[in-house]
Amino acid sequence: MTVDAVDGDRRTQLVDVQAARKYFERRWRYDLSKPGIAGYNIRVDHAGYDALHTPNEINIYAMQRFTQDPRVTAADVWKEWTERHYGKAAAPEIERALRPTFDIVNKSFFALEFWVTNHSRLPNFRYADEHLHSRTMAKWYPGEPKYKNLEEKLARPDPELLEQILAEKDEAIALAHGSLQHLRNAKSLVTTEQFDDLNWRISLAERTAVIWKLHAEALFGYKALAAGHGAPGLADRVRRALIALKEEAAVSEADPKIGKDPPASAAEIREFVTDLGSRMSKLVAR
């Protein structure tokens, strides 16, 4: 069994630690039920981004505890790890701040469970469009026609589907706001260094959720227009999202903590804006 303790690129600098505890627990219990299981491998970095000394380190701790004691649960891991790293007084609020991060990342980076994000880079139109098919959920669930139907709808979305996608992004933004609130509740209970580190990571997740919502509005709004759906104001919504993304690129460029790395770098945002803006001009000119 191989377990990735990090999820690629700068997602180790975001935080994505909520559901892995239960996932690792379930997988490890299942593996132990089979003959010949002698141990596990854990990947602790990806492309130079290290899970050690980040909140994602809890994934490594989880596997250690599950193998040490078969009675340990995911809830035990949360309690032990947060208390060890942040102290008993702060641990409950820190746990509440970190628990939603898995859903924040997934609701930002996926479109109704379909993978469209270039690792953790903002995808250009071609990448997102191709991966709706090459990474389709229908491959993993061939017996469930709803996924093939959804794949086809995402390729040619209507305004109703666009609203479903954007509602998912709104959920990610709201979850990020909740995480930040719980972190603020713990501010006086942790060191300045601990607070600043978590605040930066969760704030980056919040910023990512906002940018990916604008990206989804432009991307799937354009695809709806290209599919022949002329809902009132739809073209204006796409243009507005592109303008907002252009402004967000300027914010990214001015923030030395974001730099040229994903997610939300200025270069990635501008590449998407330029490409989709060109596609929009050609579509309108038809």
Side-chain angles (χ1 to χ4, degrees):
M1 178 177 103
T2 299
V3 175
D4 279 355
V6 296
D7 289 295
D9 295 339
R10 224 181 195 189
R11 286 176 67 181
T12 58
Q13 297 189 22
L14 294 172
V15 218
D16 182 8
V17 300
Q18 189 272 339
R21 249 56 51 239
K22 290 184 178 179
Y23 170 77
F24 289 167
E25 181 182 13
R26 175 174 60 82
R27 286 293 301 273
W28 185 238
R29 302 287 182 247
Y30 171 82
D31 290 341
L32 288 178
S33 72
K34 305 300 178 182
I37 298 297
Y40 57 85
N41 295 320
I42 295 182
R43 181 176 185 171
V44 297
D45 70 355
H46 187 280
Y49 295 105
D50 199 338
L52 297 173
H53 311 298
T54 78
N56 287 291
E57 191 177 287
I58 190 175
N59 297 337
I60 304 168
Y61 179 74
M63 287 306 300
Q64 175 195 3
R65 292 293 289 123
F66 293 152
T67 52
Q68 274 183 341
D69 186 348
R71 297 166 298 179
V72 167
T73 66
D76 295 328
V77 169
W78 267 115
K79 185 174 187 296
E80 293 172 7
W81 189 85
T82 51
E83 287 185 356
R84 175 180 295 187
H85 283 76
Y86 300 101
K88 287 187 177 181
E93 288 291 352
I94 296 297
E95 181 178 337
R96 293 185 186 100
L98 293 179
R99 272 186 177 272
T101 56
F102 182 81
D103 287 331
I104 294 167
V105 170
N106 282 342
K107 288 178 183 294
S108 297
F109 284 175
F110 289 77
L112 303 179
E113 298 184 69
F114 277 68
W115 180 251
V116 296
T117 294
N118 185 357
H119 297 278
S120 55
R121 297 179 183 275
L122 194 74
N124 59 30
F125 178 88
R126 181 176 179 181
Y127 185 98
D129 192 50
E130 289 179 350
H131 281 70
L132 284 172
H133 303 292
S134 64
R135 298 289 183 89
T136 174
M137 290 289 288
K139 286 185 177 180
W140 309 112
Y141 299 98
E144 297 186 31
K146 68 176 184 178
Y147 286 113
K148 188 61 180 177
N149 292 337
L150 183 53
E151 176 191 342
E152 294 171 357
K153 289 186 68 177
L154 287 167
R156 295 175 59 84
D158 56 24
E160 182 180 358
L161 189 69
L162 172 62
E163 293 304 323
Q164 293 176 30
I165 295 168
L166 296 181
E168 179 180 58
K169 308 310 173 192
D170 284 337
E171 291 172 9
I173 294 169
L175 286 169
H177 291 164
S179 286
L180 286 168
Q181 181 61 61
H182 286 296
L183 178 60
R184 285 192 289 269
N185 292 344
K187 184 174 184 179
S188 64
L189 304 173
V190 296
T191 67
T192 300
E193 182 180 7
Q194 288 173 326
F195 177 82
D196 288 347
D197 177 70
L198 288 174
N199 187 58
W200 172 62
R201 295 177 190 279
I202 298 174
S203 294
L204 184 58
E206 176 197 30
R207 176 163 172 72
T208 298
V210 170
I211 289 173
W212 258 255
K213 180 186 177 182
L214 292 169
H215 175 273
E217 189 166 20
L219 172 69
F220 290 101
Y222 167 81
K223 287 169 73 68
L225 288 169
H229 296 286
L234 183 55
D236 289 336
R237 289 184 67 181
V238 173
R239 294 189 188 97
R240 176 188 51 74
L242 290 175
I243 291 170
L245 281 170
K246 186 177 179 180
E247 293 171 348
E248 291 291 352
V251 174
S252 291
E253 188 172 53
D255 188 341
K257 288 187 176 181
I258 294 176
K260 298 180 180 179
D261 293 326
S265 76
E268 296 163 20
I269 298 172
R270 286 172 178 152
E271 179 187 355
F272 173 77
V273 169
T274 300
D275 177 48
L276 200 73
S278 175
R279 292 175 185 271
M280 274 292 291
S281 296
K282 293 175 182 177
L283 182 65
V284 173
R286 287 179 187 175

